[in-house]
Amino acid sequence: MANVLLVDDRPENLLALEGILEPLHQNLLYAYSGVDALRQLLQHDVAVILLDVQMPELDGFETASLIKQRERTKHIPIIFVTAISKDEEQVFRGYSAGAVDYVFKPFSPEVLRSKVSVFIELHEKNAQLRRQAELLKEQELAELRRESEERYRFLAEAQPDQIWTALPNGELDYVNQRALDYFAGPFSELVETGWTQVVHPEDLPRMLERWQQALDTGKPYENELRLRRADSSYRWHLTRAVPMTNRRREVVKWFGSNTDIDDQKRAEEAQRFLVDAGAALGGSLDYRSTLAAVAKLAVPRIADWARVDILEGGKLRTIAVEHVDPRKVELALELGRRYPEDPQAGHGPPFVIRTGESQLVTEIAEERLAELAVDDLHLGLVRELGFQSYMCVPLVARGSVIGVISFVSAESGRRFGPDDLALAEELARRTSTAVENAQLYREVEERAQAARVLETVGDGVFLVDREGIVRLWNKAAEAIAGLPRDDVLGRRAGDVLPGWDDLRARVPVAGAPGPAAAETLPLELAGRERWLSISGVGFEEGTVYAFRDITEERALERIRQDLVATVSHELRTPLAAIYGSALTLARDDLELEEAIGAKLLEVIIEESARLADIVNDLLIASQLDAGRMEVRVERCDASVLTKGVVDAAATHLPDGVTLRLEPVGDDLPPVVADEGQLRQVLDNLIDNAFKYSPDGGEVRIRVEPADEYVRFAVSDEGLGIPRPEEARIFEKFYRLDPHMARGIGGTGLGLYIARELVRRVSGRIWVEPNNGRGSVFYVEIPAASGAETGGKPRETARASA
Ligand code: ADP
């Protein structure tokens, strides 16, 4: 129904109009003045106005022109209703005021009705047109929207990333082809399962949490996660989504993208892995545990399996096998035991060891597997492990291959590529360096240990390198040679070692580790002649010499040789005499005179006594050497003792020799000594004086106090002793006339024994020339301290008992 506005100041006219228009069944509105009409027009959409021309205040023409001035109402057709004038001026005014028609009273109801109905129809047509126009506009908009969406999709499809959109509740409503290709599933499936089936289980909880947070807050979403590809390998993606909101700031759609950041992520991870590996590698100097640590670190970060093999004694030994599942490790080890690798194989660790080249197999083809399998069981076991892809890299130390690290992918479905191989190679390089360092360290440590040992050995050890430079000089070498290390190390052996050229020429050098024959040679060291026993062993860096000072040993050896010579000589003479005498006595065929028989017996007795003496001396000397001689130190009266010795000697005075004891003063203190031994010393000195005075002369004995000592002097006028020999005659077996040119026999032990006995009671013994003829032997024995001087008789009595 359209609105028809009837305007007249007189109600009866309005009533009449109402009557006429009723049958049109339109909605009639009434206005009683021009102002009233304008108000009605503000409120209603009017199809046609029937306007009375003659009205008070605002007449019909004025009202019409106001209606025409308003934008909203200017198109509304106005039909003037008038009774007054039909003249042209009125009519013209009406049209210029915007009338579309005039009806004059009295008017025919049919005409009026038809006129009004025309305008209503027109109005409705217009309304319809307007609606149609609006409709059209909406359609166009829809078309536009569709186009823009298409353009968006087009863009989305052209993207290298996966693009998706989701409803405000998070449900996917679009993914681009790239995403479908990646997951290789139909869109419906993807929508049904959402992301949960394709996100790596480890990344899923974080993803769900963040996505829910974004949906709740309407804030952009961002996350890094692994998405499973059609080949069931996972790749890292950066996922982003931004919300599109309407005017009321409500989210109407989510626009999302997944960018593949796998390479970058893996590079980062590889970097991190290498850093961790570096820490593990530096952590130990035991290279076996280092390698095991590396294998552990690699699983599952860069592979499902890691294995390290090391070449030991020409054989490949597996040091570590790693997998997250210990049962599988067992299975793999069992497999290794049952099916050892073929050393000639063109794949795996043996191949890498042989060639020193890395090996990368991106995909282990099923046929290949069957080909490599030894038997069905082998194939079954290998299949059970589910190997997919592998790489083996060599460990190279000091230029040679020392082992292999192998990485295998299995259940992760990962395929190793050149990037992975590069990482593995880098790891192998670092591992090799660590192993090399560990070995170096061990060598250095061993060397240091060897050096420490060398420092403690008693033998002098030194090393001369191929250039003739001294590289090692141990403590013992310092001590024996009297050459400080600093004077020797790093210098030419020829410049610093005395007698080097001679030494090098004479000492045989054995090849290591052969036995070295030692050479004994004399060297002038620190101003003394020393005898060194020295041997050399050659090795790649030079020659190691070991030497010891055998000067003492040599002296002893000479003494031993002297002993043997002397003893055999000394014993032989009396033995020969005894033997000869006894033989003569024993002869039956000879009638011996009684006097001769007696003489022979005398010889036997004398020589036997001499033999006993010699043996006794030897016994005493060896006891002294071995430190087994007992000394009983006590106070004894020196004058009584001396008198006794002199009296005894007087009984066997040789021809031409006189013996005299000089008077002993009363002030002579007692001595502190072993009385028996002191007697032996004096006996020996007097005996020697007799022996070495072949031409006779006086032997004089004097006893006197000398400071803290009591001095005994035995002088003779015999052969005398050349001054340079004065010290030597006290040496064991030393005799001035070993060949006994003057026919005087002795063992050369007497003075040695005397010196040793005197030393043991802190006394001294020496010899001096006796005024140009013969010698004087002095013995000084400590005197007993003053307080004890009085108590001598008892002590002496006991000592001599
Ligand atoms: P021996 O048994 O040969 O006498 P000793 O040790 O008693 O051994 O003496 C060593 C050497 O010292 C003797 O061989 C001798 O040459 C020399 N000698 C010892 N006493 C005298 C002395 N009074 N006069 C000269 N030479 C002596």
Side-chain angles (χ1 to χ4, degrees):
M1 273 206 293
N3 292 321
V4 178
L5 180 60
L6 310 177
V7 189
D8 202 308
D9 58 320
R10 276 172 294 179
E12 61 274 19
N13 287 349
L14 288 175
L15 213 57
L17 283 172
E18 185 189 316
I20 293 165
L21 298 175
E22 187 93 80
L24 292 176
H25 302 294
Q26 301 297 324
N27 189 28
L28 303 177
L29 303 170
Y30 307 98
Y32 299 96
S33 67
V35 176
D36 198 10
L38 290 172
R39 194 170 43 245
Q40 292 273 9
L41 284 171
L42 279 179
Q43 293 165 1
H44 302 284
D45 179 28
V46 174
V48 61
I49 304 168
L50 287 161
L51 185 57
D52 180 26
V53 175
Q54 283 191 313
M55 287 189 296
E57 295 165 30
L58 204 59
D59 70 15
F61 298 126
E62 287 162 341
T63 304
S65 72
L66 283 175
I67 289 169
K68 290 294 158 189
Q69 276 167 28
R70 288 198 191 154
E71 187 61 31
R72 259 198 73 209
T73 52
K74 69 177 179 196
H75 299 297
I76 305 175
I78 300 170
I79 301 171
F80 281 112
V81 182
T82 180
I84 305 167
S85 172
K86 286 188 190 174
D87 66 57
E88 283 189 6
E89 198 186 332
Q90 281 288 357
V91 173
F92 175 74
R93 213 182 138 203
Y95 281 113
S96 65
V100 291
D101 209 345
Y102 267 90
V103 281
F104 298 98
K105 295 175 192 171
F107 39 74
S108 135
E110 284 79 36
V111 171
L112 182 62
R113 257 201 307 273
S114 72
K115 281 190 175 180
V116 167
S117 60
V118 164
F119 286 115
I120 286 174
E121 203 171 310
L122 185 69
H123 176 80
E124 278 177 349
K125 277 263 159 53
N126 273 339
Q128 198 181 349
L129 271 175
R130 231 180 9 254
R131 269 201 307 278
Q132 274 173 352
E134 265 165 26
L135 206 66
L136 200 68
K137 208 162 146 200
E138 254 168 38
Q139 276 170 357
E140 270 170 9
L141 275 175
E143 178 68 11
L144 266 176
R145 255 203 304 278
R146 202 179 51 76
E147 265 176 23
S148 90
E149 193 127 303
E150 240 168 39
R151 206 166 25 242
Y152 169 73
R153 298 255 155 111
F154 177 74
L155 277 173
E157 294 301 339
Q159 284 298 311
D161 293 345
Q162 295 170 23
I163 304 289
W164 48 272
T165 59
L167 300 177
N169 66 3
E171 188 183 308
L172 280 177
D173 64 351
Y174 161 76
V175 295
N176 68 353
Q177 190 56 42
R178 193 166 286 272
L180 290 175
D181 290 346
Y182 184 86
F183 300 111
F187 176 67
S188 59
E189 199 176 276
L190 203 59
V191 170
E192 195 160 300
T193 56
W195 296 112
T196 51
Q197 293 301 306
V198 292
V199 172
H200 193 287
E202 279 174 25
D203 305 334
L204 189 60
R206 190 185 52 212
M207 178 238 147
L208 291 175
E209 187 196 327
R210 291 202 183 171
W211 185 219
Q212 192 55 51
Q213 209 174 357
L215 293 178
D216 292 349
T217 59
K219 285 195 179 134
Y221 161 80
E222 187 171 318
N223 195 8
E224 283 181 3
L225 40 71
R226 278 162 287 179
L227 295 175
R228 199 179 62 213
R229 199 161 57 178
D231 63 4
S232 60
S233 66
Y234 282 95
R235 290 183 69 81
W236 279 98
H237 283 81
L238 171 66
T239 302
R240 283 205 185 103
V242 287
M244 191 177 88
T245 52
N246 61 14
R247 240 171 264 156
R248 287 190 297 283
R249 301 195 161 275
E250 293 158 345
V251 175
V252 292
K253 214 177 201 42
W254 288 93
F255 290 88
S257 64
N258 304 333
T259 310
D260 187 323
I261 53 164
D262 200 64
D263 291 344
Q264 171 192 338
K265 195 81 181 169
R266 287 207 192 281
E268 271 170 30
E269 226 167 51
Q271 207 55 41
R272 244 199 323 271
F273 173 72
L274 286 177
V275 168
D276 290 351
L281 289 172
S284 165
L285 282 170
D286 166 21
Y287 79 95
R288 279 169 160 271
S289 62
T290 299
L291 292 170
V294 167
K296 206 169 222 111
L297 208 62
V299 172
R301 287 169 71 171
I302 64 172
D304 299 317
W305 289 88
R307 168 178 146 183
V308 182
D309 298 280
I310 286 294
L311 208 54
E312 274 176 353
K315 274 199 172 152
L316 205 54
R317 256 179 242 285
T318 304
I319 285 197
V321 174
E322 278 295 333
H323 185 273
V324 283
D325 183 354
R327 278 180 312 121
K328 290 208 168 181
V329 171
E330 258 319 303
L331 178 60
L333 290 175
E334 174 58 25
L335 200 67
R337 275 192 290 272
R338 227 184 267 194
Y339 301 100
E341 262 148 333
D342 175 6
Q344 291 308 311
H347 58 90
F351 173 78
V352 174
I353 287 280
R354 217 171 51 240
T355 61
E357 281 168 20
S358 309
Q359 209 175 34
L360 168 68
V361 173
T362 304
E363 186 157 4
I364 304 174
E366 177 64 29
E367 323 81 73
R368 184 97 181 92
L369 211 60
E371 211 174 281
L372 293 175
V374 178
D375 53 31
D376 287 350
L377 182 64
H378 185 202
L379 185 62
L381 290 171
V382 171
R383 279 219 185 99
E384 194 168 335
L385 294 175
F387 291 168
Q388 302 278 338
S389 173
Y390 75 86
M391 50 190 183
C392 298
V393 288
L395 291 169
V396 181
R398 293 186 222 178
S400 52
V401 180
I402 57 159
V404 186
I405 311 186
S406 314
F407 301 97
V408 179
S409 96
E411 55 278 346
S412 69
R414 187 163 168 177
R415 301 272 183 278
F416 294 129
D419 286 353
D420 298 302
L421 186 66
L423 172 64
E425 282 175 339
E426 179 59 28
L427 178 69
R429 250 193 304 282
R430 294 187 187 197
T431 307
S432 301
T433 312
V435 169
E436 224 168 48
N437 284 350
Q439 282 174 345
L440 276 178
Y441 174 82
R442 210 164 46 186
E443 272 168 34
V444 167
E445 187 52 28
E446 274 168 7
R447 253 182 226 200
Q449 228 161 38
R452 281 197 290 276
V453 169
L454 278 182
E455 281 310 287
T456 57
V457 298
D459 284 5
V461 176
F462 65 99
L463 188 156
V464 178
D465 71 12
R466 297 200 166 280
E467 271 68 55
I469 308 290
V470 181
R471 291 295 172 201
L472 187 141
W473 186 255
N474 76 344
K475 249 202 193 89
E478 279 188 319
I480 296 169
L483 287 171
R485 184 185 314 226
D486 292 345
D487 292 358
V488 177
L489 277 193
R491 313 271 285 273
R492 303 199 63 80
D495 298 341
V496 289
L497 302 185
W500 167 249
D501 292 328
D502 184 35
L503 189 152
R504 204 175 44 172
R506 285 177 56 187
V507 174
V509 173
E519 172 76 20
T520 302
L521 62 159
L523 279 182
E524 178 90 4
L525 294 173
R528 297 176 304 160
E529 188 196 61
R530 307 302 295 180
W531 284 84
L532 300 184
S533 163
I534 179 159
S535 59
V537 175
F539 72 117
E540 59 189 275
E541 287 168 51
T543 308
V544 178
Y545 291 93
F547 63 97
R548 68 172 60 159
D549 184 350
I550 55 158
T551 312
E552 315 297 325
E553 285 170 34
R554 248 182 87 85
L556 279 177
E557 175 60 19
R558 219 182 56 207
I559 288 168
R560 195 186 59 79
Q561 285 168 359
D562 287 352
L563 175 74
V564 172
T566 315
V567 166
S568 55
H569 185 267
E570 293 308 316
L571 296 182
R572 197 176 291 135
T573 319
L575 270 177
I578 293 167
Y579 185 60
S581 303
L583 267 185
T584 317
L585 280 174
R587 279 173 69 163
D588 300 338
D589 56 337
L590 250 142
E591 201 59 36
L592 285 177
E593 278 176 38
E594 204 169 310
I596 294 175
K599 185 85 189 151
L600 286 174
L601 275 175
E602 202 180 307
V603 168
I604 290 175
I605 291 164
E606 264 178 22
E607 292 303 314
S608 299
R610 186 152 164 232
L611 260 184
D613 278 351
I614 295 170
V615 171
N616 198 40
D617 273 1
L618 280 172
L619 213 65
I620 293 172
S622 72
Q623 275 177 343
L624 282 168
D625 288 347
R628 286 203 307 265
M629 173 67 78
E630 215 180 296
V631 183
R632 285 180 57 217
V633 178
E634 54 195 356
R635 291 155 63 107
C636 34
D637 189 322
S639 79
V640 173
L641 186 141
T642 314
K643 273 196 194 98
V645 172
V646 171
D647 287 347
T651 61
H652 56 273
L653 265 185
D655 290 343
V657 175
T658 56
L659 179 63
R660 192 163 93 93
L661 173 64
E662 288 188 11
V664 180
D666 288 342
D667 57 342
L668 190 71
V671 289
V672 182
D674 180 313
E675 191 185 329
Q677 292 175 1
L678 182 54
R679 198 190 297 273
Q680 189 184 343
V681 170
L682 296 176
D683 264 348
N684 189 260
L685 293 181
I686 295 170
D687 250 14
N688 278 355
F690 291 169
K691 267 201 296 190
Y692 300 106
S693 301
D695 305 322
E698 188 182 46
V699 173
R700 244 203 272 190
I701 318 294
R702 193 170 67 242
V703 194
E704 59 192 354
D707 297 331
E708 319 275 87
Y709 294 90
V710 170
R711 181 186 295 154
F712 303 83
V714 179
S715 65
D716 63 62
E717 296 167 338
L719 299 173
I721 295 153
R723 295 228 71 152
E725 306 283 358
E726 279 174 355
R728 302 205 65 182
I729 56 167
F730 293 96
E731 287 175 13
K732 226 195 242 177
F733 299 118
Y734 192 83
R735 298 189 313 190
L736 291 180
D737 177 21
H739 308 295
M740 287 182 283
R742 300 292 309 265
I744 305 152
T747 56
L749 283 169
L751 287 179
Y752 169 74
I753 292 169
R755 185 187 70 185
E756 292 306 305
L757 293 177
V758 168
R759 261 193 198 161
R760 274 166 176 69
V761 292
S762 311
R764 316 194 279 145
I765 183 167
W766 73 100
V767 66
E768 287 177 16
N770 185 17
N771 293 323
R773 186 144 179 255
S775 1
V776 189
F777 280 85
Y778 294 97
V779 173
E780 280 185 356
I781 300 296
S785 60
E788 297 162 294
T789 320
K792 58 185 172 177
R794 242 188 69 190
E795 305 261 345
T796 315
R798 199 177 59 180
S800 53

